[in-house]
Amino acid sequence: MAKYFPDGYVPLMERKQTEKAIKYVKDTFERELSGGLMLSRVTSPLFVPRGSGINDDLNGVERPVVFQIGNFDNKDMEIVQSLAKWKRMALATLKFKPGTGLYTDMNAIRPDDDLDAIHSIYVDQWDWELVITEEQRSLDFLKFVVSKIYSAMRRTEFLVCEMFPVIKPTLPEKIIFIHAEEARRRYPDLSVYDREYQLAKEYGAVFIIGIGAKLGDGKSHGGRAPDYDDWSTPNSDGYLGLNGDIIVWDPIREDLMEITSMGIRVSPESLMRQLTIRGMEERADLYWHKRLLANEMPLTIGGGIGQSRLCMYFLKKAHIGEVQASIWPQDVMEEAASLGVVLM
């Protein structure tokens, strides 16, 4: 029987207290994030027109959920997988200025995700996007924003532990920055996952820079679509990439946990370069891509921060089903029941 829970795992909170704590975590972090980055809350769509180029294809292989609107000429629509592209259009429409931005509650369905302790087909995250200047399209500014987000995480953790004393803080004081190429050279014989595992275990919190471009061994650290993060522009460290992931060490599962994928977004120049690298030049004719290439959207930095994962981490839960309602395989349900764990 597959194991989805650590040996001897006992939740620190029962179901009703967990529900209260989930709301507290989400309300607190949302406030800390929006205040730290000067983000205004906006309303976002659950679905977008198919073929518009607005939806994200993440690593380029995931299938969006498609449905037709019966009283709209059976028009094909897609459930969003993230809002990376939509947010830039919203910033342009609402005329946000550099130094300000937006955040929204993003709810998505990703049917191709593998179900495990931290993955569900239902995705809930804070999607955020900040307008920047040309000068801020730099590694230093990327690190500055990452540090702001990490500070919001640490403040939230402190307040959660104050409100619920059964929870003890585990985030380290600082987050460590390391480029994917540095990680490869440090652990040349390890897989990408194992590199991240070792780094997260050693430092507690790391930001892996440069995900999407080929490294020195001809492989990339991870997949990235060509039309939202900028992973092909050289940075001041001499490597490619102005994007990355925040990864923390989860002491309950004794494993890594990715909290957010984020980055400085493509400019018109880097968009065309990355479409060419991936052999996807035809995307330049899509609605969203045409608008970006015509300089109708601002330069931005943005990302998505997992709501359920933050709740898992702060509330010391072993399975995402303890903080999120979704569907779980029968063997997961049976193992949870045997431990007295309630999955939503």
Side-chain angles (χ1 to χ4, degrees):
M1 183 177 182
K3 284 188 61 63
Y4 296 90
F5 296 86
D7 291 334
Y9 172 68
V10 178
L12 298 179
M13 296 178 174
E14 47 80 33
R15 173 69 183 272
K16 286 183 67 176
Q17 189 180 31
T18 295
E19 293 281 13
K20 293 178 181 178
I22 289 171
K23 185 176 189 307
Y24 186 79
V25 169
K26 292 185 177 182
D27 289 348
T28 302
F29 182 76
E30 188 172 307
R31 183 177 63 250
E32 295 293 334
L33 177 71
S34 61
L37 290 180
M38 297 181 67
L39 305 174
S40 301
R41 191 187 186 284
V42 300
T43 302
S44 58
L46 176 61
F47 46 85
V48 294
R50 191 177 194 186
S52 63
I54 299 173
N55 205 358
D56 294 311
D57 57 357
L58 307 173
N59 297 314
V61 296
E62 293 86 350
R63 301 168 301 157
V65 175
V66 180
F67 66 96
Q68 293 181 329
I69 304 177
N71 60 358
F72 199 78
D73 298 326
N74 287 323
K75 185 177 181 63
D76 285 341
M77 305 295 289
E78 294 179 347
I79 302 294
V80 298
Q81 297 198 107
S82 88
L83 295 170
K85 300 190 187 78
W86 177 88
K87 289 177 294 182
R88 288 183 81 170
M89 291 199 312
L91 289 170
T93 300
L94 297 171
K95 296 180 169 56
F96 277 79
K97 302 297 182 184
T100 64
L102 59 81
Y103 75 95
T104 187
D105 284 300
M106 193 281 291
N107 297 288
I109 299 175
R110 297 179 183 172
D112 287 326
D113 275 9
D114 293 328
L115 302 183
D116 58 27
I118 62 172
H119 288 92
S120 166
I121 64 169
Y122 168 65
V123 180
D124 57 341
Q125 64 185 32
W126 291 283
D127 251 319
W128 63 274
E129 202 83 8
L130 181 70
V131 180
I132 62 176
T133 65
E134 178 66 41
E135 292 71 29
Q136 289 172 324
R137 298 191 79 256
S138 68
L139 182 60
D140 284 344
F141 189 73
L142 174 65
K143 291 180 177 180
F144 170 77
V145 175
V146 170
S147 297
K148 285 274 192 179
I149 294 172
Y150 189 69
S151 293
M153 290 171 58
R154 292 198 70 232
R155 289 194 299 269
T156 300
E157 182 183 53
F158 169 78
L159 293 170
V160 169
C161 293
E162 287 280 293
M163 179 63 68
F164 305 97
V166 69
I167 305 295
K168 304 303 178 186
T170 53
L171 283 175
E173 182 178 351
K174 294 182 179 180
I175 188 169
I176 300 300
F177 295 91
I178 184 167
H179 194 278
E181 177 63 20
E182 296 176 274
R184 185 193 70 82
R185 293 179 181 180
R186 184 167 172 176
Y187 302 111
D189 299 324
L190 296 184
S191 67
V192 167
Y193 170 82
D194 288 334
R195 291 172 204 160
E196 292 184 347
Y197 179 97
Q198 293 297 331
L199 291 168
K201 187 175 182 179
E202 178 176 354
Y203 296 114
V206 294
F207 184 74
I208 310 292
I209 304 166
I211 298 177
K214 289 184 179 180
L215 305 178
D217 59 357
K219 303 175 182 178
S220 64
H221 185 84
R224 281 295 191 277
D227 43 13
Y228 56 102
D229 282 353
D230 187 332
W231 40 259
S232 64
T233 294
N235 63 48
S236 57
D237 280 353
Y239 301 122
L240 294 177
L242 294 170
N243 69 334
D245 293 342
I246 292 179
I247 297 170
V248 298
W249 179 253
D250 178 6
I252 302 302
R253 296 166 43 252
E254 295 189 333
D255 202 349
L256 64 87
M257 180 184 289
E258 178 190 317
I259 298 298
T260 179
S261 172
M262 58 171 287
I264 291 173
R265 306 306 198 184
V266 288
S267 63
E269 295 76 21
S270 58
L271 171 62
M272 285 308 304
R273 179 169 62 245
Q274 292 179 183
L275 289 177
T276 301
I277 291 172
R278 294 287 173 82
M280 297 177 176
E281 294 92 335
E282 72 281 358
R283 286 195 185 184
D285 293 326
L286 296 175
Y287 169 74
W288 185 91
H289 300 69
K290 284 181 177 179
R291 289 195 61 184
L292 181 66
L293 292 171
N295 289 305
E296 294 179 7
M297 287 185 273
L299 299 174
T300 63
I301 182 174
I305 301 170
Q307 295 186 14
S308 291
R309 290 206 185 167
L310 271 187
C311 289
M312 270 189 72
Y313 182 85
F314 289 142
L315 303 182
K316 309 308 176 192
K317 300 293 187 180
H319 195 282
I320 196 169
E322 296 178 80
V323 296
Q324 177 201 104
S326 186
I327 187 169
W328 316 110
Q330 186 61 33
D331 58 342
V332 177
M333 301 294 291
E334 291 174 357
E335 185 179 349
S338 72
L339 296 171
V341 175
V342 177
L343 297 185
M344 299 182 183

